[in-house]
Amino acid sequence: MKSGSRREIILLFAANVLARLPFINAGYGREEDAWAQAQNAKLIWETGIYEVSRLPGHPLYELLLAGLWPINHSYWLYNLLSVLVSSLSVVYFYKICNKLNLLNTLALSVAFSFIPVFFIAGTYTIDYNFGLLFILLSLYQLLRGKYWLAGIFIGLATGIRISHLGFILPWAIIIFTRTHSLKFVLRMGLTSLLVAAIAFSPPLLQYGMGFLDFHKPPYPSAIKVLYKMSFGVYGIPLLLFFAYFYFANIRKPFSFWTLHSYYSRMPRGFYISLLLIFAMQLVVFLRLPFKSEFFIPFLPFLLMYLGVLMNRSYAISLAIVSIASCFFFGFDYYNPHRGAPPSPLAIQFEGNDKSLFFDPIQGPAIIDFRKRNTKIQFVESFNVWAKKQNAPTYVIAGWYWPQIDLKQQYPSNVEVDYYATEEEIRNAHKSGKVIFYLPEINEANAQINAHYLADSLGKPWLPQNE
């Protein structure tokens, strides 16, 4: 089969779509941001006023969902958009690899498709892979010498996630080392800035420069940070494979052999750009190290680099291990209200005050899917209980709030809040409302609002309360 053939492209796209379809019917997603996106789309459509789903805003994605809201806002449609965009991202990764004359491009593309964090982000309502698609479209146009188109796509990527504007820097290095002309660098850079400014005009007009005030939750523990940037991105088998490949082949990554192999197929400046991209995404992650997904923009560039160093056998092995890492050998913690139950084959143990498990027959994608269903069942239990309440009731819902609020299945005497300040809890108590908090939310509320009134004036709500 000819490398870069239309048949390979169709097979890649179809395989990516079919692999993700079984995962799109479990709500808008596991994390609260996914439900907040849908909640925000509903609000924008009903009021006609732009609002950010979370600061600093993701205007192009938010407006896309809002525009679709009156047509169809089902889980299936919104999640299907992520499926299609992720599949197109794989196609353009493949096309870029061929443009760079890399070997084993089909195997590399399969490996990229099933890196757990990228695969999962392509199954629910979230913006990560939308931004990545525009980055890859931009790089593809850059390699074709269409620098103004490369700028347009970086501007659109920025309209999805503002941190993507940083790709102007590595792109500028590649363009200048290719052309030795600042004219083309400026053409790309100014076009990017213009499109990005237009894309961010809705939050700018609505909030002024205040839209740049990022959300700053409490910093997590070092163990959680390390987990998010390792197992949370790659899964166990893939991380072990990378470690083995490194020690077996590139223990001296800056050796003459490595640099020669790299520069023999990559554009000049690409290696420096790769390091810059990694540094950028590391800074983005470490600033708010809560999401493994922040590393998604780095993944295709990592695989391009490895593609230079890997022979056919290694590349095929990488693809197989990536699939295994996505669907098998998962590692997570068990939580009865928002976690995935371990299988009978799982090895369970305690660590860091959590019940942890290693499951050979449940990988990250399956665990994420089951978490989504667990959370849906929990919220349904809460809604059944809320409908039965006659007394004035105040509930602090935390990360469950967007999902509960979007359903709106509770009576008017039940007030459900996201997080609660000291004043809000005291007012609810003075007005005679019974105060509840959902599991773990008392601790989260104490961290965010620096008080423990939820513990002293409220009580936990658990499904058995129903």
Side-chain angles (χ1 to χ4, degrees):
M1 188 179 292
K2 181 181 176 182
S3 179
S5 70
R6 182 176 296 180
R7 185 184 302 178
E8 284 187 350
I9 290 173
I10 293 172
L11 284 174
L12 263 179
F13 183 80
N16 271 271
V17 170
L18 292 174
R20 286 172 171 82
L21 283 181
F23 297 90
I24 68 173
N25 64 343
Y28 290 110
R30 165 181 49 85
E31 57 177 291
E32 61 184 292
D33 288 348
W35 289 86
Q37 292 282 14
Q39 179 190 40
N40 190 64
K42 178 176 182 286
L43 183 65
I44 292 174
W45 175 256
E46 290 178 347
T47 64
I49 300 172
Y50 172 80
E51 288 198 29
V52 299
S53 57
R54 59 204 191 280
L55 292 170
H58 310 268
L60 295 186
Y61 186 64
E62 291 158 344
L63 292 172
L64 170 65
L65 297 187
L68 289 172
W69 185 266
I71 302 170
N72 189 322
H73 52 265
S74 64
Y75 313 147
W76 191 87
L77 177 64
Y78 278 13
N79 295 344
L80 181 63
L81 293 177
S82 294
V83 170
L84 297 176
V85 163
S86 302
S87 302
L88 278 175
S89 296
V90 174
V91 167
Y92 272 92
F93 171 81
Y94 172 84
K95 289 166 75 73
I96 289 167
C97 288
N98 278 297
K99 198 77 176 172
L100 295 172
N101 295 316
L102 294 179
L103 303 177
N104 311 307
T105 55
L106 186 59
L108 290 173
S109 299
V110 171
F112 174 51
S113 303
F114 293 97
I115 294 177
V117 71
F118 170 70
F119 182 91
I120 293 169
T123 63
Y124 67 101
T125 303
I126 205 67
D127 49 77
Y128 301 113
N129 291 355
F130 285 75
L132 178 65
L133 174 60
F134 286 126
I135 290 170
L136 293 173
L137 284 167
S138 177
L139 178 58
Y140 183 70
Q141 296 302 331
L142 185 155
L143 295 174
R144 295 177 64 220
K146 307 291 186 181
Y147 302 125
W148 65 277
L149 274 176
I152 287 175
F153 285 122
I154 285 297
L156 293 173
T158 304
I160 301 292
R161 295 191 71 83
I162 197 169
S163 59
H164 294 336
L165 188 62
F167 275 84
I168 289 178
L169 296 176
W171 273 206
I173 293 171
I174 295 173
I175 293 171
F176 187 76
T177 53
R178 283 174 59 133
T179 65
H180 302 288
S181 172
L182 285 175
K183 177 181 72 173
F184 296 115
V185 173
L186 289 173
R187 181 178 298 176
M188 179 278 301
L190 292 175
T191 305
S192 299
L193 292 172
L194 176 62
V195 175
I198 295 172
F200 262 90
S201 58
L204 180 62
L205 292 173
Q206 183 69 12
Y207 303 97
M209 294 306 292
F211 80 91
L212 291 172
D213 182 19
F214 291 78
H215 178 51
K216 305 178 187 68
Y219 210 81
S221 67
I223 293 176
K224 288 184 179 180
V225 172
L226 290 173
Y227 174 84
K228 293 286 186 183
M229 63 189 299
S230 56
F231 297 112
V233 177
Y234 305 103
I236 294 174
L238 197 53
L239 202 62
L240 293 175
F241 181 86
F242 285 151
Y244 168 77
F245 182 77
Y246 175 82
F247 286 108
N249 296 278
I250 51 175
R251 283 170 289 184
K252 298 178 181 178
F254 296 103
S255 66
F256 172 80
W257 171 77
T258 303
L259 290 178
H260 175 74
S261 298
Y262 200 96
Y263 282 118
S264 66
R265 293 179 192 150
M266 291 299 187
R268 294 182 63 187
F270 202 93
Y271 183 62
I272 296 173
S273 298
L274 173 76
L275 294 177
L276 182 56
I277 291 167
F278 175 72
M280 288 191 315
Q281 297 311 126
L282 186 62
V283 168
V284 169
F285 172 77
L286 289 178
R287 187 182 179 279
L288 292 171
F290 297 94
K291 305 290 179 66
S292 299
E293 290 85 354
F294 290 166
F295 283 105
I296 286 177
F298 171 67
L299 298 178
F301 301 94
L302 172 64
L303 289 192
M304 289 174 204
Y305 173 60
L306 292 175
V308 174
L309 305 175
M310 287 182 172
N311 58 29
R312 179 176 175 79
S313 176
Y314 268 121
I316 292 174
S317 297
L318 174 63
I320 294 171
V321 172
S322 185
I323 294 172
S325 206
C326 191
F327 299 115
F328 302 98
F329 307 108
F331 172 74
D332 214 303
Y333 69 92
Y334 175 62
N335 183 303
H337 311 302
R338 58 189 182 98
S343 76
L345 297 182
I347 301 170
Q348 301 184 54
F349 52 96
E350 298 296 319
N352 198 28
D353 298 325
K354 291 183 181 291
S355 178
L356 307 174
F357 66 87
F358 168 73
D359 201 325
I361 61 172
Q362 287 192 121
I366 296 171
I367 288 173
D368 180 85
F369 182 73
R370 299 190 74 187
K371 281 182 174 181
R372 289 157 65 177
N373 281 320
T374 298
K375 199 172 175 184
I376 287 172
Q377 291 169 9
F378 177 85
V379 170
E380 287 176 351
S381 296
F382 173 81
N383 286 333
V384 169
W385 171 84
K387 289 177 183 177
K388 298 177 182 177
Q389 302 313 298
N390 297 316
T393 305
Y394 182 77
V395 181
I396 308 168
W399 47 70
Y400 298 97
W401 178 73
Q403 194 166 343
I404 293 171
D405 184 70
L406 194 59
K407 294 286 187 179
Q408 286 284 339
Q409 293 180 1
Y410 48 89
S412 58
N413 59 292
V414 176
E415 180 183 357
V416 181
D417 212 345
Y418 193 17
Y419 291 102
T421 64
E422 186 173 352
E423 181 182 4
E424 287 171 331
I425 292 180
R426 289 195 185 281
N427 288 340
H429 181 68
K430 287 178 182 178
S431 62
K433 294 181 179 179
V434 183
I435 300 172
F436 290 93
Y437 55 83
L438 300 190
E440 304 173 88
I441 303 305
N442 57 325
E443 299 173 5
N445 194 70
Q447 288 182 321
I448 292 171
N449 289 303
H451 69 81
Y452 291 89
L453 279 182
D455 291 281
S456 58
L457 298 180
K459 52 187 176 181
W461 183 90
L462 297 172
Q464 53 261 37
N465 292 1
E466 180 189 345

